[in-house]
């Protein structure tokens, strides 16, 4: 398709509207440097869609004319006219003020139809494309050029400066690539490679089938030879089976008879057993009641034994005091008896002395009366003036002197008795005063005794109350200690069980601290299954390896599809994605069963090598999700060892993904990926097996929390211990007060029973009689 002419407007060095052409089959553009020859080539490249970088400009707006205004006239030997629609042509000389530039190329096709391709740019960098004076998009513009075999990328329409030299310096491979690019065959290179790969596979399959066919022919011949032997062997086996069948039937006949007899016996025994079970249940019930009664009685006995032991301990504590009191009572009784005897003896002596005193008093009175009578007689004799003779007077004097001599002892005895009488009177007065004082003391002591008895009763009652409170507090403390011991034992047992559960979970590869993302993914999947009925679940939940040894390999093969969600339809997947976007529930991959693309499974890999098997053959899944499993697994092989994987991929040259049981991967490209995965994907199928352990773990944790809440607090124990200490101190004080009260009562009792005798006993009557005599 030849180029007819080029029209420009304010493009680079071309000011205003310029028309260059017409162009013939061979047209040469000549002129001095700076005349615009290269700008004409740039204009042709520009209108055909070449980028600004290849037009010797950094930006499209640099292509707009920025030179001085020019007068009308020819330029570069080509016909030049002013744009009649440009109002700026009438202006004089000055700086250019163009705001846009455009280039129009006119082509003519085989049918001599003209095609107008126009491209416009502005100083703001905006572009506009016109095709036959109609504004179109770049895609339509480029498509129209391509339809006329004008390829912008290949630049097959123009040879730029330096292109010939660059092409001449290229290598044969680069020249071939350039030719392919210009001819358009480079775009078909990928399809060519695919077709070549398919051809190689077809050739390989044909060769394999031919080899297999030759092997099958040899096997058929061998099978025919073995067929005769097999038929003879089968006939012998049939005879053997017939004999075995007869023997088995004979055994079955007798077994059936024995079964019938045993069934009858079983029915009989079952009836008897039912009766025995009823009796056993009744006896068990009675036994449980008896055990409960025994437990209650045992509790009561233990309680009574504790009371008896406490009473015995209290009695044993009182026995030393009782022995001491008994000894004091005996000693006091003996002292009382001795005092009573002394009191009786003193009383008898007092009576005897009183009798002696009365007789002496009578004698003294008689003596005084006789003395008075003698004095009266003497007085009367004196009154009668009886004169005595010398002899009578001398006799009287001699008698008086002898009488005085004879009465000395009686006068002395009288004076002694007088003194004794005075002393006895003073002693009697003192004894009477002492007796009165003792009676007053006795009354006071009786009052003190009543006070001490009341205080003793009050102290005993207070002691009993304190002992009861102390016993209750101590029992409460013991109960708390036993409860704490029981809770500690339960906590130990629960912790041991919990540790065992954690160990089993750890061995199963379950992460106890499940990540937040996995938790949210499970919750989101549960919500999706509840809302959308077409959601079937994750790939890892829909399939399970047939054996545990395949878990690692299968998890590696599934790869990023292990957590993909399988749905029935594409519509369901779109609804799930909208729901997750609305709820901000993260991201997930969906596999719609109706639109998912799957490659057919190559059956030759099922028996390709010993120790190698297809991944889809080592997992279990429902037929409804077969397409999803084929998409996730493809033709990947699970190999027992690395040697088997090398044999399949390298020695046999199969472009297939091979994974060993340890997780080592040989990719189609030949790359090897190995090592131990840190994701633990091979353990995902064990989540179903450890759900019971997880529930048991949660129950044990809840039990630990409940035990921790029911455990007696340390502050309560401190309060109980403080109360016990306070009660023990109070009991000690009360006991000391009670002992002092008992000592006071004992002293009062002894004081009342053994009064002090402060007066001295009178002299012996024999002494008085001797003195009187």
């Amino acid at each position: 398709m030849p180029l007819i002419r080029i029209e420009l407007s304010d493009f680079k060095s071309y000011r205003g509207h310029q028309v260059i052409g017409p162009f013939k089959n061979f047209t040469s553009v000549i002129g001095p440097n700076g005349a615009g020859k290269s700008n004409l080539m740039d204009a042709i490249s520009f209108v055909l869609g070449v980028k600004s970088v290849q037009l010797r400009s950094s930006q499209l707006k640099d292509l707009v004319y920025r030179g001085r205004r020019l007068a009308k006239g020819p330029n570069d030997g080509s016909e030049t006219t002013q744009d009649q629609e440009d109002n700026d042509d009438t202006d004089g000389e000055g700086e250019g003020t163009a705001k846009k530039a455009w280039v129009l190329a006119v082509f003519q096709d085989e049918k001599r139809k003209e095609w107008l391709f126009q491209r416009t740019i502005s100083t703001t960098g905006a572009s506009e494309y016109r095709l036959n004076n109609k504004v179109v998009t770049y895609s339509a513009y480029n498509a129209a050029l391509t339809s006329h075999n004008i390829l912008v990328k290949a630049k097959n329409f123009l040879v730029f400066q330096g292109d010939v030299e660059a092409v001449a310096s290229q290598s044969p491979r680069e020249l071939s690539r350039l030719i392919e690019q210009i001819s358009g065959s480079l775009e078909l290179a990928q399809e060519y490679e695919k077709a070549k790969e398919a051809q190689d596979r077809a050739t390989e399959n044909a060769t394999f089938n031919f080899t297999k066919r030759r092997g099958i022919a040899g096997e058929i011949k061998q099978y025919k030879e073995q067929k005769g032997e097999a038929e003879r062997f089968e006939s012998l086996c049939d005879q053997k089976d017939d004999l075995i069948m007869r023997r088995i039937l004979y055994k079955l006949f007798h077994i059936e008879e024995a079964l019938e007899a045993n069934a009858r016996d079983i029915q009989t025994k079952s009836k008897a057993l039912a009766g025995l079970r009823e009796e056993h249940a009744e006896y068990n019930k009675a036994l449980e009641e008896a055990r409960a009664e025994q437990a209650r009685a045992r509790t009561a006995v233990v309680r009574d034994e504790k009371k008896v032991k406490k009473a015995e301990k209290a009695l044993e504590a009182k026995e030393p005091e009782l022995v001491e009191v008994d000894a004091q009572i005996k000693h006091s009784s003996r002292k009382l008896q001795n005092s009573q005897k002394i009191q009786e003896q003193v009383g008898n002596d007092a009576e005897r002395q009183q009798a002696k005193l009365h007789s002496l008093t009578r004698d003294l009175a008689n003596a005084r009366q006789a003395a008075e009578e003698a004095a009266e007689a003497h007085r009367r004799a004196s009154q009668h003036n009886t004169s005595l003779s010398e002899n009578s007077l001398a006799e009287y004097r001699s008698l008086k002197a002898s009488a005085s001599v004879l009465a000395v002892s009686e006068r002395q005895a009288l004076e002694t008795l007088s003194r004794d009488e005075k002393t006895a009177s003073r002693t009697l007065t003192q004894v009477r005063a002492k007796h009165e004082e003792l009676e007053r003391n006795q009354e006071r002591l009786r009052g003190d005794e009543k006070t001490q008895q009341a205080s003793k009763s009050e102290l005993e009652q207070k002691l009993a109350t304190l002992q009861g409170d102390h016993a209750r507090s101590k029992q409460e403390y013991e109960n708390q200690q036993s409860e704490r011991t029981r809770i500690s034992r339960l906590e130990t047992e629960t912790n041991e069980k919990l540790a065992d559960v954690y160990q089993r979970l750890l061995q199963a590869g379950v992460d106890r601290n499940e990540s937040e993302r996995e938790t949210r993914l499970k919750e989101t999947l549960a919500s999706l299954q509840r809302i959308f009925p077409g959601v079937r679940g994750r790939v890892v939940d829909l399939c399970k390896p047939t054996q545990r040894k395949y878990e690692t390999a299968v998890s590696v093969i599934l790869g990023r599809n292990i957590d993909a969600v399988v749905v029935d339809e594409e519509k369901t997947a779109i609804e799930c994605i909208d729901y997750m976007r609305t709820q901000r529930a993260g991201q997930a991959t969906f596999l719609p069963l109706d639109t998912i693309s799957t490659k057919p499974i190559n059956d030759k890999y099922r028996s390709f090598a010993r120790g190698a098997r297809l991944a889809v053959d080592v997992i279990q899944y429902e037929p409804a999700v077969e397409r999803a499993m084929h998409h996730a697994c493809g033709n990947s092989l699970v190999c027992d060892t690395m040697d088997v994987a090398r044999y399949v991929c390298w020695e046999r040259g199969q472009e297939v993904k091979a994974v060993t049981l340890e997780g080592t991967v040989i990719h189609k490209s030949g790359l090897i990926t190995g090592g131990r995965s840190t994701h633990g994907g091979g353990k995902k199928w064990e989540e179903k097996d450890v759900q019971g352990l997880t529930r048991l773990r949660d129950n044990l944790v809840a039990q630990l929390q409940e035990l921790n809440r029911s455990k007696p607090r340390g502050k309560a124990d401190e309060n109980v211990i403080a109360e016990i200490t306070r009660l023990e101190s109070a009991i000690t004080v009360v006991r000391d007060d009670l002992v002092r009260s008992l000592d006071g009562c004992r002293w009062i009792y002894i004081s009342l029973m053994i009064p002090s005798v402060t007066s001295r006993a009178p002299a012996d009557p024999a002494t008085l009689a001797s003195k009187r005599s």
Side-chain angles (χ1 to χ4, degrees), residues 352-366:
R352 288 194 300 271
Q353 293 296 332
Q354 192 71 24
K356 289 180 179 181
L357 179 60
H358 287 308
S359 62
L360 291 174
T361 303
R362 284 193 302 272
D363 293 340
L364 179 59
N366 293 328

Side-chain angles (χ1 to χ4, degrees), residues 251-276:
K251 286 185 177 181
L252 287 175
F253 173 75
H254 291 284
I255 290 171
E256 288 179 354
E257 289 186 350
L259 285 174
E260 292 177 356
N262 292 331
R264 290 191 295 271
D265 293 340
I266 287 171
Q267 291 178 356
T268 305
K269 299 295 184 182
S270 297
K271 294 179 181 178
L273 181 61
L276 292 175

Side-chain angles (χ1 to χ4, degrees), residues 24 30 85 88 109 207 226-227 232 256-257 290 315 320 484 539 581 615 618 639 658-659 661 740 748:
K24 303 300 182 180
I30 61 175
E85 298 175 356
D88 296 336
D109 59 6
T207 304
Q226 295 176 355
K227 182 178 179 182
R232 291 191 300 273
E256 288 179 354
E257 289 186 350
L315 183 59
R484 182 177 287 103
V539 173
R581 184 185 300 111
V618 298
C639 302
V659 183
L661 298 180
R740 286 195 295 270
I748 292 171

Side-chain angles (χ1 to χ4, degrees), residues 224-241:
K224 286 181 179 179
E225 294 176 356
Q226 295 176 355
K227 182 178 179 182
E229 297 180 2
E231 290 177 352
R232 291 191 300 273
F233 178 75
E234 288 179 357
S235 62
L236 294 175
C237 288
D238 292 338
Q239 295 177 7
K240 178 183 177 183
D241 293 341

